[in-house]
Amino acid sequence: MPDRPRARGICRAAAEDAVRPLGWRGLLDAWDVAGAGDGFIYSVSRPYQRIDYVMTSRDVKTTSVAVIGTEASDHFPIVADLELPHPSP
């Protein structure tokens, strides 16, 4: 079976626990590709770390990633705009 484009959201995880192993599997951290700044989202009162991530395969183009400013949770949400490759005919 051919590889398919992949995107995966990881919520409430420390980078060491969840993200680094995925990087070893060839997935990219969308924030590293298109984010600005440190991407810290936790906690709302004083952001000091990232706990939510969007990981993609290399054929998925990340056009933007942003932190959304809201106090609806204990941390800020992130949003990523992704472009998926066109399927082969």
Side-chain angles (χ1 to χ4, degrees):
M1 176 182 287
D3 286 339
R4 295 187 174 139
R6 295 174 291 167
R8 179 177 181 180
I10 303 168
C11 300
R12 295 186 173 270
E16 297 80 20
D17 298 333
V19 177
R20 288 189 182 141
L22 292 174
W24 296 332
R25 293 184 193 143
L27 296 181
L28 302 173
D29 180 348
W31 193 271
D32 289 343
V33 174
D38 55 28
F40 290 170
I41 63 170
Y42 181 81
S43 74
V44 168
S45 62
R46 190 173 186 171
Y48 66 93
Q49 71 178 4
R50 292 177 61 199
I51 61 169
D52 292 347
Y53 301 84
V54 175
M55 305 295 289
T56 68
S57 55
R58 295 184 183 279
D59 54 347
V60 174
K61 181 180 178 184
T62 303
T63 58
S64 68
V65 185
V67 174
I68 306 298
T70 179
E71 294 185 15
S73 177
D74 63 346
H75 67 283
F76 297 113
I78 60 172
V79 61
D81 292 317
L82 308 173
E83 291 181 11
L84 301 177
H86 294 287
S88 301

